[in-house]
PDB file of all heavy atoms in Angstrom:
ATOM      1  N   ASN B  31      19.990  13.832 -26.173  1.00 38.00           N
ATOM      2  CA  ASN B  31      19.062  14.833 -25.659  1.00 38.00           C
ATOM      3  C   ASN B  31      19.520  16.196 -26.130  1.00 38.00           C
ATOM      4  O   ASN B  31      20.586  16.361 -26.700  1.00 38.00           O
ATOM      5  CB  ASN B  31      18.970  14.754 -24.134  1.00 38.00           C
ATOM      6  CG  ASN B  31      20.306  14.974 -23.461  1.00 38.00           C
ATOM      7  OD1 ASN B  31      21.141  15.712 -23.964  1.00 38.00           O
ATOM      8  ND2 ASN B  31      20.506  14.336 -22.311  1.00 38.00           N
ATOM      9  N   ALA B  32      18.713  17.190 -25.873  1.00 35.00           N
ATOM     10  CA  ALA B  32      18.948  18.520 -26.442  1.00 35.00           C
ATOM     11  C   ALA B  32      20.220  19.153 -25.927  1.00 35.00           C
ATOM     12  O   ALA B  32      20.812  19.990 -26.587  1.00 35.00           O
ATOM     13  CB  ALA B  32      17.752  19.422 -26.137  1.00 35.00           C
ATOM     14  N   PRO B  39      20.647  11.798 -35.877  1.00 40.00           N
ATOM     15  CA  PRO B  39      21.271  10.513 -35.559  1.00 40.00           C
ATOM     16  C   PRO B  39      22.103  10.005 -36.724  1.00 40.00           C
ATOM     17  O   PRO B  39      21.744  10.167 -37.883  1.00 40.00           O
ATOM     18  CB  PRO B  39      20.072   9.585 -35.303  1.00 40.00           C
ATOM     19  CG  PRO B  39      18.946  10.510 -34.972  1.00 40.00           C
ATOM     20  CD  PRO B  39      19.192  11.741 -35.765  1.00 40.00           C
ATOM     21  N   ASN B  63      15.738 -18.299 -35.387  1.00 63.00           N
ATOM     22  CA  ASN B  63      14.271 -18.320 -35.355  1.00 63.00           C
ATOM     23  C   ASN B  63      13.719 -19.329 -34.350  1.00 63.00           C
ATOM     24  O   ASN B  63      12.531 -19.623 -34.343  1.00 63.00           O
ATOM     25  CB  ASN B  63      13.720 -18.609 -36.749  1.00 63.00           C
ATOM     26  CG  ASN B  63      14.185 -19.963 -37.277  1.00 63.00           C
ATOM     27  OD1 ASN B  63      15.017 -20.625 -36.662  1.00 63.00           O
ATOM     28  ND2 ASN B  63      13.642 -20.345 -38.436  1.00 63.00           N
ATOM     29  N   ARG B  74      23.244 -12.114  -9.254  1.00 87.00           N
ATOM     30  CA  ARG B  74      23.191 -10.806  -8.605  1.00 87.00           C
ATOM     31  C   ARG B  74      22.629 -10.938  -7.207  1.00 87.00           C
ATOM     32  O   ARG B  74      22.036 -11.950  -6.852  1.00 87.00           O
ATOM     33  CB  ARG B  74      22.305  -9.837  -9.410  1.00 87.00           C
ATOM     34  CG  ARG B  74      20.873 -10.310  -9.587  1.00 87.00           C
ATOM     35  CD  ARG B  74      20.156  -9.533 -10.680  1.00 87.00           C
ATOM     36  NE  ARG B  74      18.829 -10.069 -10.936  1.00 87.00           N
ATOM     37  CZ  ARG B  74      17.702  -9.526 -10.483  1.00 87.00           C
ATOM     38  NH1 ARG B  74      17.754  -8.435  -9.740  1.00 87.00           N
ATOM     39  NH2 ARG B  74      16.534 -10.062 -10.759  1.00 87.00           N
ATOM     40  N   ALA B  88      14.528  -5.740   9.084  1.00 97.00           N
ATOM     41  CA  ALA B  88      15.257  -6.586  10.039  1.00 97.00           C
ATOM     42  C   ALA B  88      14.754  -8.023   9.990  1.00 97.00           C
ATOM     43  O   ALA B  88      15.537  -8.974  10.122  1.00 97.00           O
ATOM     44  CB  ALA B  88      15.115  -6.011  11.452  1.00 97.00           C
ATOM     45  N   ASN B 102      16.131 -20.954   5.015  1.00 95.00           N
ATOM     46  CA  ASN B 102      15.172 -22.023   4.733  1.00 95.00           C
ATOM     47  C   ASN B 102      15.517 -22.811   3.478  1.00 95.00           C
ATOM     48  O   ASN B 102      14.973 -23.895   3.253  1.00 95.00           O
ATOM     49  CB  ASN B 102      13.758 -21.451   4.606  1.00 95.00           C
ATOM     50  CG  ASN B 102      13.178 -21.095   5.957  1.00 95.00           C
ATOM     51  OD1 ASN B 102      13.713 -21.468   7.002  1.00 95.00           O
ATOM     52  ND2 ASN B 102      12.078 -20.364   5.959  1.00 95.00           N
ATOM     53  N   THR B 122      10.172 -33.441  14.111  1.00 92.00           N
ATOM     54  CA  THR B 122      11.033 -32.283  14.350  1.00 92.00           C
ATOM     55  C   THR B 122      10.242 -30.981  14.267  1.00 92.00           C
ATOM     56  O   THR B 122      10.405 -30.078  15.099  1.00 92.00           O
ATOM     57  CB  THR B 122      12.184 -32.259  13.340  1.00 92.00           C
ATOM     58  OG1 THR B 122      12.941 -33.461  13.449  1.00 92.00           O
ATOM     59  CG2 THR B 122      13.094 -31.067  13.573  1.00 92.00           C
ATOM     60  N   SER B 141     -10.147 -18.740  25.785  1.00 96.00           N
ATOM     61  CA  SER B 141     -10.100 -20.115  26.273  1.00 96.00           C
ATOM     62  C   SER B 141     -10.254 -21.060  25.088  1.00 96.00           C
ATOM     63  O   SER B 141     -10.709 -20.652  24.012  1.00 96.00           O
ATOM     64  CB  SER B 141     -11.222 -20.353  27.287  1.00 96.00           C
ATOM     65  OG  SER B 141     -12.492 -20.149  26.673  1.00 96.00           O
ATOM     66  N   ILE B 168     -13.861 -19.802  11.040  1.00 98.00           N
ATOM     67  CA  ILE B 168     -13.229 -21.109  10.860  1.00 98.00           C
ATOM     68  C   ILE B 168     -11.802 -20.873  10.376  1.00 98.00           C
ATOM     69  O   ILE B 168     -11.581 -20.223   9.357  1.00 98.00           O
ATOM     70  CB  ILE B 168     -13.992 -21.980   9.848  1.00 98.00           C
ATOM     71  CG1 ILE B 168     -15.427 -22.220  10.330  1.00 98.00           C
ATOM     72  CG2 ILE B 168     -13.282 -23.304   9.640  1.00 98.00           C
ATOM     73  CD1 ILE B 168     -16.295 -22.976   9.332  1.00 98.00           C
ATOM     74  N   GLY B 173       1.074 -24.813   6.489  1.00 95.00           N
ATOM     75  CA  GLY B 173       2.087 -25.819   6.760  1.00 95.00           C
ATOM     76  C   GLY B 173       2.318 -26.790   5.629  1.00 95.00           C
ATOM     77  O   GLY B 173       2.603 -27.971   5.855  1.00 95.00           O
ATOM     78  N   ALA B 182       0.168 -25.965  17.391  1.00 93.00           N
ATOM     79  CA  ALA B 182       0.151 -24.767  16.552  1.00 93.00           C
ATOM     80  C   ALA B 182      -1.266 -24.449  16.091  1.00 93.00           C
ATOM     81  O   ALA B 182      -1.671 -23.287  16.045  1.00 93.00           O
ATOM     82  CB  ALA B 182       1.072 -24.953  15.346  1.00 93.00           C
ATOM     83  N   GLY B 186      -3.388 -21.199  17.092  1.00 95.00           N
ATOM     84  CA  GLY B 186      -3.893 -20.386  15.987  1.00 95.00           C
ATOM     85  C   GLY B 186      -5.364 -20.062  16.153  1.00 95.00           C
ATOM     86  O   GLY B 186      -5.806 -18.941  15.853  1.00 95.00           O
ATOM     87  N   PRO B 212      -8.022 -37.572   0.234  1.00 98.00           N
ATOM     88  CA  PRO B 212      -8.780 -36.367   0.595  1.00 98.00           C
ATOM     89  C   PRO B 212      -9.045 -36.190   2.094  1.00 98.00           C
ATOM     90  O   PRO B 212     -10.009 -35.516   2.478  1.00 98.00           O
ATOM     91  CB  PRO B 212     -10.093 -36.584  -0.139  1.00 98.00           C
ATOM     92  CG  PRO B 212     -10.316 -38.064  -0.040  1.00 98.00           C
ATOM     93  CD  PRO B 212      -8.958 -38.697  -0.108  1.00 98.00           C
ATOM     94  N   TYR B 222     -17.050 -27.905   8.917  1.00 98.00           N
ATOM     95  CA  TYR B 222     -17.983 -26.888   8.419  1.00 98.00           C
ATOM     96  C   TYR B 222     -19.426 -27.289   8.720  1.00 98.00           C
ATOM     97  O   TYR B 222     -20.238 -26.455   9.137  1.00 98.00           O
ATOM     98  CB  TYR B 222     -17.773 -26.689   6.924  1.00 98.00           C
ATOM     99  CG  TYR B 222     -18.633 -25.590   6.337  1.00 98.00           C
ATOM    100  CD1 TYR B 222     -18.580 -24.295   6.840  1.00 98.00           C
ATOM    101  CD2 TYR B 222     -19.500 -25.850   5.274  1.00 98.00           C
ATOM    102  CE1 TYR B 222     -19.367 -23.286   6.309  1.00 98.00           C
ATOM    103  CE2 TYR B 222     -20.286 -24.851   4.731  1.00 98.00           C
ATOM    104  CZ  TYR B 222     -20.217 -23.567   5.259  1.00 98.00           C
ATOM    105  OH  TYR B 222     -21.009 -22.580   4.736  1.00 98.00           O
ATOM    106  N   SER B 240      -1.741 -19.883   3.332  1.00 98.00           N
ATOM    107  CA  SER B 240      -0.941 -20.836   2.580  1.00 98.00           C
ATOM    108  C   SER B 240      -1.739 -22.107   2.293  1.00 98.00           C
ATOM    109  O   SER B 240      -2.737 -22.065   1.573  1.00 98.00           O
ATOM    110  CB  SER B 240       0.345 -21.138   3.349  1.00 98.00           C
ATOM    111  OG  SER B 240       1.251 -21.861   2.548  1.00 98.00           O
ATOM    112  N   LEU B 260     -23.038 -21.578   1.577  1.00 98.00           N
ATOM    113  CA  LEU B 260     -21.661 -21.108   1.705  1.00 98.00           C
ATOM    114  C   LEU B 260     -21.543 -20.042   2.789  1.00 98.00           C
ATOM    115  O   LEU B 260     -22.513 -19.365   3.123  1.00 98.00           O
ATOM    116  CB  LEU B 260     -21.170 -20.563   0.370  1.00 98.00           C
ATOM    117  CG  LEU B 260     -21.076 -21.586  -0.760  1.00 98.00           C
ATOM    118  CD1 LEU B 260     -20.535 -20.936  -2.028  1.00 98.00           C
ATOM    119  CD2 LEU B 260     -20.213 -22.768  -0.351  1.00 98.00           C
ATOM    120  N   PRO B 323     -18.349 -16.853  -2.035  1.00 98.00           N
ATOM    121  CA  PRO B 323     -18.618 -15.621  -1.288  1.00 98.00           C
ATOM    122  C   PRO B 323     -17.513 -14.589  -1.469  1.00 98.00           C
ATOM    123  O   PRO B 323     -16.447 -14.882  -2.034  1.00 98.00           O
ATOM    124  CB  PRO B 323     -18.675 -16.117   0.163  1.00 98.00           C
ATOM    125  CG  PRO B 323     -17.784 -17.311   0.189  1.00 98.00           C
ATOM    126  CD  PRO B 323     -17.953 -17.972  -1.155  1.00 98.00           C
ATOM    127  N   HIS B 343      -7.269 -13.951  -7.865  1.00 98.00           N
ATOM    128  CA  HIS B 343      -8.033 -12.699  -7.897  1.00 98.00           C
ATOM    129  C   HIS B 343      -8.693 -12.511  -9.255  1.00 98.00           C
ATOM    130  O   HIS B 343      -9.880 -12.165  -9.337  1.00 98.00           O
ATOM    131  CB  HIS B 343      -7.094 -11.529  -7.585  1.00 98.00           C
ATOM    132  CG  HIS B 343      -7.742 -10.186  -7.686  1.00 98.00           C
ATOM    133  ND1 HIS B 343      -7.427  -9.285  -8.680  1.00 98.00           N
ATOM    134  CD2 HIS B 343      -8.704  -9.592  -6.934  1.00 98.00           C
ATOM    135  CE1 HIS B 343      -8.153  -8.193  -8.524  1.00 98.00           C
ATOM    136  NE2 HIS B 343      -8.938  -8.344  -7.491  1.00 98.00           N
ATOM    137  N   PRO B 371       4.989  -2.989  11.353  1.00 98.00           N
ATOM    138  CA  PRO B 371       3.830  -2.178  10.949  1.00 98.00           C
ATOM    139  C   PRO B 371       3.051  -2.813   9.809  1.00 98.00           C
ATOM    140  O   PRO B 371       1.822  -2.724   9.767  1.00 98.00           O
ATOM    141  CB  PRO B 371       4.477  -0.853  10.508  1.00 98.00           C
ATOM    142  CG  PRO B 371       5.753  -0.776  11.283  1.00 98.00           C
ATOM    143  CD  PRO B 371       6.239  -2.199  11.389  1.00 98.00           C
ATOM    144  N   GLU B 379      -6.644  -4.885   8.190  1.00 98.00           N
ATOM    145  CA  GLU B 379      -7.425  -5.036   6.959  1.00 98.00           C
ATOM    146  C   GLU B 379      -8.287  -6.297   7.022  1.00 98.00           C
ATOM    147  O   GLU B 379      -9.453  -6.301   6.597  1.00 98.00           O
ATOM    148  CB  GLU B 379      -6.502  -5.084   5.746  1.00 98.00           C
ATOM    149  CG  GLU B 379      -5.807  -3.777   5.423  1.00 98.00           C
ATOM    150  CD  GLU B 379      -6.733  -2.795   4.708  1.00 98.00           C
ATOM    151  OE1 GLU B 379      -7.959  -3.037   4.637  1.00 98.00           O
ATOM    152  OE2 GLU B 379      -6.225  -1.779   4.215  1.00 98.00           O
ATOM    153  N   GLU B 390     -23.142  -7.021   7.035  1.00 71.00           N
ATOM    154  CA  GLU B 390     -24.100  -7.090   5.924  1.00 71.00           C
ATOM    155  C   GLU B 390     -25.287  -7.989   6.235  1.00 71.00           C
ATOM    156  O   GLU B 390     -26.248  -8.023   5.479  1.00 71.00           O
ATOM    157  CB  GLU B 390     -23.367  -7.614   4.669  1.00 71.00           C
ATOM    158  CG  GLU B 390     -22.306  -6.645   4.136  1.00 71.00           C
ATOM    159  CD  GLU B 390     -21.547  -7.238   2.971  1.00 71.00           C
ATOM    160  OE1 GLU B 390     -21.775  -8.431   2.664  1.00 71.00           O
ATOM    161  OE2 GLU B 390     -20.716  -6.518   2.374  1.00 71.00           O
TER     162      GLU B 390
END
Side-chain angles (χ1 to χ4, degrees):
N31 59 32
N63 61 353
R74 59 195 175 102
N102 285 348
T122 301
S141 61
I168 300 175
Y222 184 57
S240 191
L260 296 182
H343 176 249
E379 291 282 11
E390 293 176 354

